[in-house]
Amino acid sequence: MRNEFLAIASLTIASAAHAGGVGTTYTDATGDIFDSSLSNIDILSATFNNDSTNLYLSVSVNADVSATDWGKYLVFIDSTPSIGAFSGMNGNDPFNNPWNRRVGSPAGVDAFVGSWIDGDGSNLNYTFDGSAWNQTEVGTPDLSQAASGIVSWTFSLSSLGLAEGDTFYFDVATTGGSDNDPAIDLLSTDTIQPGWGYNSITGMDLTYTVASSTPVPGIGGIAALAGFGLAGRRRRR
């Protein structure tokens, strides 16, 4: 009987832990880069998930990035069109993002993340206030699956100007480590970008909605649910 209680309680805990959902995965074509030797920055997919406090992102690329770790990762977010920084449109500076990367956008970008995984590995989060970019958070990438080409991050929702219920447009890009480098691969498109020394363009047409979280039941609630499960089993005997 005790084993049944533990099994039911464990199932309830597992269900509660995934109350925010399993996330949304977006796929990208393999090999849609101008140089096939750059597989460490060839995006395969990205997955977003969230809880009431944080936004979680995992990006999968086509190489072991524990061995080849020079690639940089960019996240562009547009949640408030009225204040976004326009890049590369209507004569504006085509490098109008905090890292001065050569990525044009037809939509305003009001939050940005730039990350590197070599050396001390970090991510810097920024929001745009209508006239300037402001750094809002510093984080550390999760490289526990880097040998499989997967890098993950945890961003606080507040650092990106987001809250539960918000829907935002976004794109994820890979690039090099030099000022004015373009995006080499973009999650949103299978179109091959021209490469180093050229402009790149993001359509910013992917969307994610920050899901509202389901409260996790306390120990008493779990015990009660487990008890109901056992009671139901007894009645059916």
Side-chain angles (χ1 to χ4, degrees):
M1 189 66 71
R2 183 172 181 273
N3 289 339
E4 289 179 351
F5 176 86
L6 290 175
I8 294 171
S10 298
L11 178 60
T12 306
I13 292 170
S15 298
H18 291 84
V22 295
T24 303
T25 296
Y26 308 80
T27 58
D28 188 33
T30 302
D32 58 336
I33 51 177
F34 79 100
D35 181 345
S36 61
S37 70
L38 302 176
S39 57
N40 63 302
I41 51 175
D42 179 13
I43 298 172
L44 302 180
S45 66
T47 299
F48 270 122
N49 201 352
N50 72 273
D51 56 26
S52 61
T53 304
N54 297 314
L55 182 68
Y56 304 98
L57 171 64
S58 292
V59 174
S60 175
V61 297
N62 195 26
D64 173 358
V65 292
S66 66
T68 308
D69 61 3
W70 57 262
K72 307 300 181 281
Y73 300 79
L74 312 175
V75 183
F76 301 88
I77 290 175
D78 176 23
S79 61
T80 311
S82 62
I83 65 169
F86 284 85
S87 294
M89 301 296 290
N90 303 319
N92 290 331
D93 181 0
F95 317 134
N96 193 9
N97 55 72
W99 275 22
N100 203 36
R101 290 306 196 268
R102 194 187 291 256
V103 183
S105 170
V109 176
D110 46 61
F112 173 90
V113 178
S115 181
W116 65 97
I117 61 172
D118 52 334
D120 56 355
S122 190
N123 60 269
L124 305 178
N125 300 6
Y126 303 81
T127 55
F128 188 72
D129 64 10
S131 60
W133 286 100
N134 302 289
Q135 186 177 313
T136 55
E137 186 170 82
V138 178
T140 302
D142 176 358
L143 302 179
S144 60
Q145 300 181 78
S148 299
I150 299 171
V151 181
S152 300
W153 297 265
T154 298
F155 313 129
S156 68
L157 291 171
S158 60
S159 75
L160 301 173
L162 299 172
E164 289 180 306
D166 286 350
T167 296
F168 60 85
Y169 291 89
F170 75 93
D171 207 349
V172 176
T174 52
T175 185
S178 299
D179 201 34
N180 292 347
D181 275 348
I184 298 303
D185 198 9
L186 289 156
L187 177 66
S188 65
T189 179
D190 296 340
T191 300
I192 296 175
Q193 301 300 304
W196 309 119
Y198 296 91
N199 288 339
S200 55
I201 300 293
T202 167
M204 292 291 290
D205 53 2
L206 300 174
T207 63
Y208 178 77
T209 297
V210 182
S212 297
S213 299
T214 302
V216 177
I219 296 299
I222 291 172
L225 288 171
F228 289 145
L230 290 175
R233 182 181 176 91
R234 291 191 193 102
R235 282 195 295 270
R236 287 192 294 272
R237 282 180 175 173

